[in-house]
Amino acid sequence: MLPKKFDWKSIEKILRIIEGGAIVGGVVFAGVQIRDLRNNQSAQLMLEFNRSLSEETNSNLITAIENNDTILKTHGGKFTTTDIDHYLTIYELLNNVSEAGLITDEMLYNGFAYDIIKTFQNQEIKNYLSDLRKEDNTFFAGYESLARSLLKVE
């Protein structure tokens, strides 16, 4: 039962408690909103990268890598160095997005780890990158960094 008479000090204490609770509630709510926004942004980026990798040339290249088929036309495969460059550039950009914290590690791993690791382990791709890096050893360094970090998770 409440006392019949409240003095201003009692009312002020109650209002301060309510104010503190409202501030804490607002901070928690904002944190949840930020997390949800980040997850939504991650999902949108995942879809964009997936769309790029699903384009016919990239999709066929992924299949060739998975099947350990010959890749480059110069070796009897179906793909040009430009095709490989475009494909690896997607992973290079994915690394940039990941390092900027715009995509969650879990989404990155679940969505792309298998293909990135298979590509990284493919000997023909390794040889191509080795030749390419004779000009500039930083070519596709982000892709390689991403692949190495995904291998550590496995």
Side-chain angles (χ1 to χ4, degrees):
M1 188 178 202
L2 296 174
K4 292 183 181 181
K5 185 178 178 188
F6 282 107
D7 61 8
W8 281 109
K9 290 214 182 254
S10 298
I11 293 173
E12 184 180 5
K13 284 182 184 178
I14 292 170
L15 290 175
R16 292 218 184 263
I17 291 170
I18 292 170
E19 177 185 39
I23 290 171
V24 169
V27 168
V28 169
F29 180 75
V32 168
Q33 292 290 23
I34 289 169
R35 184 201 66 216
D36 289 348
L37 180 62
R38 182 172 186 259
N39 286 339
N40 186 7
Q41 181 183 36
S42 286
Q44 290 296 322
L45 287 168
M46 289 281 298
L47 291 172
E48 287 298 319
F49 281 107
N50 193 51
R51 192 169 315 157
S52 295
L53 290 166
S54 295
E55 291 174 2
E56 186 176 359
T57 300
N58 291 328
S59 180
N60 291 338
L61 183 53
I62 290 168
T63 301
I65 290 169
E66 286 176 353
N67 294 336
N68 211 23
D69 293 341
T70 302
I71 297 169
L72 285 167
K73 284 185 177 183
T74 56
H75 301 142
K78 299 177 182 176
F79 304 96
T80 65
T81 56
T82 302
D83 294 333
I84 293 174
D85 288 346
H86 288 157
Y87 173 69
L88 293 177
T89 296
I90 294 169
Y91 292 142
E92 187 81 7
L93 294 172
L94 187 57
N95 179 65
N96 294 343
V97 167
S98 174
E99 286 184 352
L102 299 176
I103 192 167
T104 67
D105 292 341
E106 182 180 3
M107 285 185 180
L108 172 66
Y109 183 84
N110 291 337
F112 304 108
Y114 177 79
D115 291 332
I116 292 170
I117 290 169
K118 289 294 277 185
T119 300
F120 180 71
Q121 293 173 335
N122 181 280
Q123 191 59 51
E124 196 169 358
I125 297 290
K126 285 181 182 181
N127 293 343
Y128 171 71
L129 288 173
S130 178
D131 289 344
L132 191 62
R133 288 179 177 154
K134 289 175 183 172
E135 297 174 36
D136 182 347
N137 66 354
T138 64
F139 281 129
F140 299 112
Y143 146 75
E144 191 168 293
S145 172
L146 179 61
R148 289 185 192 285
S149 69
L150 291 171
L151 276 170
K152 289 179 185 174
V153 174
E154 298 232 316

